[in-house]
Amino acid sequence: MKNNQLIINCPIGCQSTLYETNIVLPTGNLLKCSNCGHIVSSCTHDDYEQSLQKWNSSEGTFPGKKDYDRYQQVITKRLLHAKKLIQQKNLPKLLDVGCSSGALLSIAKNCGFEVFGVEPASDPAKTSQSKGFNVFHGFLREAHYPDYSFDVIVLFEIIEHVITPLQLIKECERILSPGGIILINTPNASSYTARFMKGRWEGFDLYKMGGHVSFFTPGSLSVMANKSGLKIKRIETRNIRFYENGQVTKLFYKSAKIMAQLLAYPVKMINQGHDLLCYLSKN
Ligand SMILES: [Zn+2]
């Protein structure tokens, strides 16, 4: 084990050892839990702190102009599906954990939710507050929301950044109303992309992704759900990739991208995509 290593035990609470995988990154080989298959970074505390700085800007994770329409389309579809699952017509309460500068909160408001956010990075938290959103600046556990406060809780691209995801999900379960839904979106560490690209996949990259340290599979997500008193209502995956831009020649990259687009549908059908989305409810 390295000096000052960030994650020493499986963050899902298994009492088993972590072994080294053949996925090699600049911060060291990724580690895998021998019990649940969950994969974690072997980076140090210093690496992690430094990588998180990427998100402390006033724009936060707000999508660029070019990507906004697609983002809005995808998020709207997911939120409306969650709304259907909770079967509550009158202004259900939605909490976006890691709401950054409020991109999802705006869309959720348009979908008919009363919206709340939590954001630990100060600059994006200020931006979303200045837009008039009810946003708590800090970590979720510090917000001390009462039990059963929210009908929908959203964690999009959050749990892979967190050192103690089990505690975070348990807190979400506590503040979720009976019949409520938690939506989780995270990279799929057992996808075809992860298996083909290994250490070349950006999803595993600590610095490029601003602090990715915890990598779920549908299996490890289900173990975490069970331990938190939640059950998986629906799980879906999408997308496959073979190369990141710049790893091969432009022509080769473009051909591989076309191939990936052709394979997107079958990959989705057999749940091997690298973008994992999960709807959870209380047990
Ligand atoms: Zn484990």
Side-chain angles (χ1 to χ4, degrees):
M1 199 200 306
K2 274 188 225 165
N3 256 349
N4 205 18
Q5 188 170 306
L6 183 74
I7 301 173
I8 292 159
N9 301 309
C10 172
I12 298 176
C14 305
Q15 299 302 322
S16 23
T17 47
L18 297 173
Y19 66 90
E20 215 167 65
T21 66
N22 60 1
I23 306 170
V24 188
L25 295 176
T27 46
N29 289 44
L30 292 181
L31 311 172
K32 193 172 194 171
C33 169
S34 52
N35 180 49
C36 72
H38 190 68
I39 294 176
V40 294
S41 170
S42 62
C43 73
T44 62
H45 280 270
D46 299 342
D47 286 328
Y48 179 61
E49 291 302 327
Q50 226 178 317
S51 70
L52 289 178
Q53 288 313 311
K54 183 176 169 129
W55 304 121
N56 199 7
S57 68
S58 55
E59 316 85 62
T61 56
F62 208 94
K65 261 196 180 143
K66 201 174 75 151
D67 303 320
Y68 187 78
D69 286 352
R70 179 77 190 128
Y71 174 79
Q72 188 181 31
Q73 211 182 357
V74 170
I75 298 298
T76 303
K77 191 177 159 205
R78 292 173 181 177
L79 297 184
L80 290 180
H81 186 71
K83 210 175 172 192
K84 213 162 101 187
L85 289 174
I86 59 171
Q87 297 177 329
Q88 193 190 317
K89 303 272 182 298
N90 287 340
L91 212 61
K93 286 187 175 167
L94 176 144
L95 175 70
D96 185 15
V97 180
C99 67
S100 192
S101 52
L104 188 137
L105 293 178
S106 300
I107 298 170
K109 201 176 160 195
N110 290 337
C111 291
F113 289 97
E114 184 183 358
V115 298
F116 300 82
V118 171
E119 175 53 51
S122 57
D123 288 357
K126 271 184 211 148
T127 306
S128 49
Q129 285 163 346
S130 71
K131 291 175 184 169
F133 291 123
N134 186 336
V135 169
F136 174 81
H137 170 221
F139 290 100
L140 179 63
R141 61 175 185 274
E142 297 164 341
H144 301 294
Y145 291 115
D147 292 357
Y148 316 132
S149 292
F150 301 101
D151 304 300
V152 173
I153 301 176
V154 177
L155 299 115
F156 283 171
E157 291 170 34
I158 296 298
I159 55 171
E160 63 274 19
H161 295 265
V162 177
I163 312 168
T164 52
L166 180 64
Q167 277 90 324
L168 173 66
I169 299 305
K170 281 183 173 169
E171 176 64 359
C172 290
E173 191 274 339
R174 182 186 71 76
I175 60 174
L176 184 71
S177 67
I181 289 286
I182 297 177
L183 265 95
I184 294 179
N185 180 214
T186 192
N188 177 5
S190 66
S191 59
Y192 282 160
T193 306
R195 280 185 271 165
F196 179 80
M197 293 180 74
K198 296 197 165 73
R200 293 188 295 107
W201 183 34
E202 272 189 7
F204 285 138
D205 195 305
L206 178 78
Y207 280 99
K208 267 195 189 133
M209 304 314 286
H212 278 198
V213 289
S214 202
F215 305 102
F216 288 82
T217 67
S220 70
L221 199 57
S222 154
V223 169
M224 184 170 74
N226 279 332
K227 288 189 178 173
S228 320
L230 294 162
K231 62 170 181 247
I232 293 182
K233 277 202 92 113
R234 178 187 165 110
I235 201 158
E236 53 189 69
T237 72
R238 55 174 204 156
N239 293 342
I240 179 167
R241 196 181 303 153
F242 301 107
Y243 299 97
E244 304 294 357
N245 204 352
Q247 289 179 344
V248 283
T249 62
K250 272 224 155 76
L251 183 67
F252 201 85
Y253 175 72
K254 276 190 179 161
S255 319
K257 206 172 166 183
I258 293 169
M259 177 67 95
Q261 280 161 354
L262 291 172
L263 289 171
Y265 186 72
V267 162
K268 187 183 163 128
M269 286 300 104
I270 52 171
N271 252 344
Q272 295 292 335
H274 62 238
D275 189 12
L276 176 62
L277 175 68
C278 187
Y279 297 78
L280 302 143
S281 64
K282 279 196 192 243
N283 259 337

